[in-house]
Amino acid sequence: MTGRPLPFTLTPERPGDPPALYSDPRKIKTEIGWQPRYADIRAMVRHGWEWRIKHYNPASPAPSVDPLEHSGPAFNESNDDAPALGDNPKIAIIGAGPTGLCAAYRLTELGYTNWQLVEATNKASGLACTIVDEVKFAWDIGVHCLFSHFEFFDALLDEMLPPEDWLYHQRYSPARMRGTWVGYPVQANLWRLPEAEVMGIVKDLAQKEARPPPPKPRNFKQWLHAGFGEKLTESFMAPYNAKVWAHPAEEMNSIWVGERVATIRFEDILSNVIRRKDAPAWGPNAQFRYPINGTGMIWEKIFTKLPKENTRLNARVTAVRTVPGSKALELADGSKVPFDGLLSTLPLPLLLRSLPDAAHLAALAEGDNGAADHSRFKHQTCNVFGVGIEGDSIPEILNGVHWVYFPEDEYVFYRVTVLSNFSPRMVPKPYKQWSLLVEVSESKHRIIPKSRRRLREMVKDGLVRSGMLPADATIVAMWDKRLEYGYPVPYVERNMHVHAADKELRKLGIWSRGRFGSWKYEVGNQVRVRPRPIALVMRPPGLARVA
């Protein structure tokens, strides 16, 4: 079957070994009509072997690995084998997004000067930027709301922008489904759904409450079933998450969830259904603040606080040389930036494939995620559309609304943000215009039209049908941007893959961090960014003398 010798050892029977084992599946076939996918022993062995060939190198087979065993941190001070950087090391930083900017800012704050930050584009802020289109409407790259649990981060925001540059909001973000508006979180406001659907969910939840707790979930879908039951999962949780992540829940882990998905108490849900009462605002961003000129304003301001001689824009990295004694970033203009330690925010697959002196590490990116990078690291591609509308005739239902969730397939988008409700300055003529920011996900699991014109038509049609946009609205701006790397998907094997790459990169004095550098939405997202001291970003012993 495999063409390879199978090692085996014959030993005497042990005490308690049965003399023979029998299996007969006739009962399950007869009673519930079950049929095995692989009906004979040769098919079973062949399938198992083919899976092994696909996922592991048969020339040097590794033991089977449980990817969820990698849910903890990749390393700590006791097992970190990264090289010490020595005295006064040269630090290079790739990327002027929040992670790179905060690292550079912290170095500056510590009085350290032997560092260089390079950014490929002509503007700092990365995915947290605010873009002004040709008719002066301002657009964030997706909805960003700022909240944190870290005093250092809050203090940094206060230092960057004066009080008059902040607007404070009590979040209102309903879902549009079944032809009505359902408050957030949907699982706490079920009474607004059709009665038959509500009764099915309540019955399912009651039965779930009566059953013993299920085993620890192996993926996100199991986590949803364990926490919300099958009916509520089918109604909202699974379809909405499938649209956001553009990947099925069974391919995702549940490590990322934390406080991002509201859990439920059956007693509260039943009470709200009986009393037909909306639940209060929930979540860490129930109150948030927003810069008056868009989120990019913060990061652009931080960039201006950095020494100009330590920063370079329009400096695209083409290769990372890692030979000891001559480590350097090679840039598109032919220049080089030497380093002893590197903080990279490049997407992991791109970094692993940019190491000519350690070309074997490119194998750590190999895979088939169905995306343009053809890697093992799964992500969704985000298509962002901005719609600018003339006049002050915003639909009454949208007064005070920040964003709306769309779980149903009849709409191509998964979320629509009323960006002008965040700040009136996001439009050229405040209070005389308004704006909508629309997000559409894309992956091999979620195929959308390639034509930008067709997508724009689908966006506009969906906005009108959902009541977000009056049919006779005067549209004066229609902007869009496709982000190949939109969100890193927290897929089941993610930490296993990231930890393997991280271990090898740290041996070279490279620390890969940020949303796509660490491939973690839960630590790289705008709302959760934490500008940790550089001594925590890189190995403490190597930079202890810096501080």
Side-chain angles (χ1 to χ4, degrees), residues 327-485:
K327 294 181 180 179
L329 306 179
E330 293 184 349
L331 305 183
D333 64 2
S335 63
K336 295 184 179 182
V337 177
F339 70 85
D340 297 305
L342 170 63
L343 176 67
S344 171
T345 65
L346 287 172
L348 254 178
L350 303 187
L351 175 60
L352 291 168
R353 292 165 174 166
S354 300
L355 305 166
D357 303 318
H360 62 284
L361 295 189
L364 294 176
E366 289 181 2
D368 185 15
N369 57 10
D373 64 0
H374 302 290
S375 81
R376 67 177 56 175
F377 295 96
K378 300 178 182 179
H379 65 274
Q380 62 98 291
T381 293
C382 191
N383 298 271
V384 188
F385 295 82
V387 183
I389 304 102
E390 189 69 30
D392 59 359
S393 57
I394 182 171
E396 185 176 352
I397 193 67
L398 298 184
N399 284 333
V401 169
H402 295 104
W403 61 86
V404 181
Y405 302 104
F406 287 86
E408 297 170 329
D409 284 335
E410 68 172 290
Y411 304 108
V412 69
F413 38 77
Y414 63 85
R415 182 168 54 197
V416 178
T417 300
V418 189
L419 198 55
S420 51
N421 282 351
F422 280 59
S423 171
R425 291 194 187 175
M426 300 304 283
V427 300
K429 297 186 289 185
Y431 308 110
K432 296 181 180 180
Q433 294 170 323
W434 54 290
S435 60
L436 298 172
L437 186 71
V438 184
E439 294 167 84
V440 180
S441 64
E442 174 187 349
S443 77
K444 69 176 182 180
H445 299 287
R446 185 167 179 78
I447 307 299
I448 62 173
K450 294 185 181 297
S451 166
R452 305 309 289 179
R453 178 179 178 181
R454 176 60 183 143
L455 268 178
R456 287 187 178 202
E457 292 172 350
M458 293 174 70
V459 165
K460 182 181 176 181
D461 175 70
L463 291 174
V464 172
R465 287 188 292 106
S466 65
M468 298 287 294
L469 180 69
D472 60 351
T474 302
I475 297 176
V476 293
M478 192 71 177
W479 169 89
D480 73 88
K481 187 175 183 65
R482 183 180 185 273
L483 303 168
E484 173 61 37
Y485 289 104

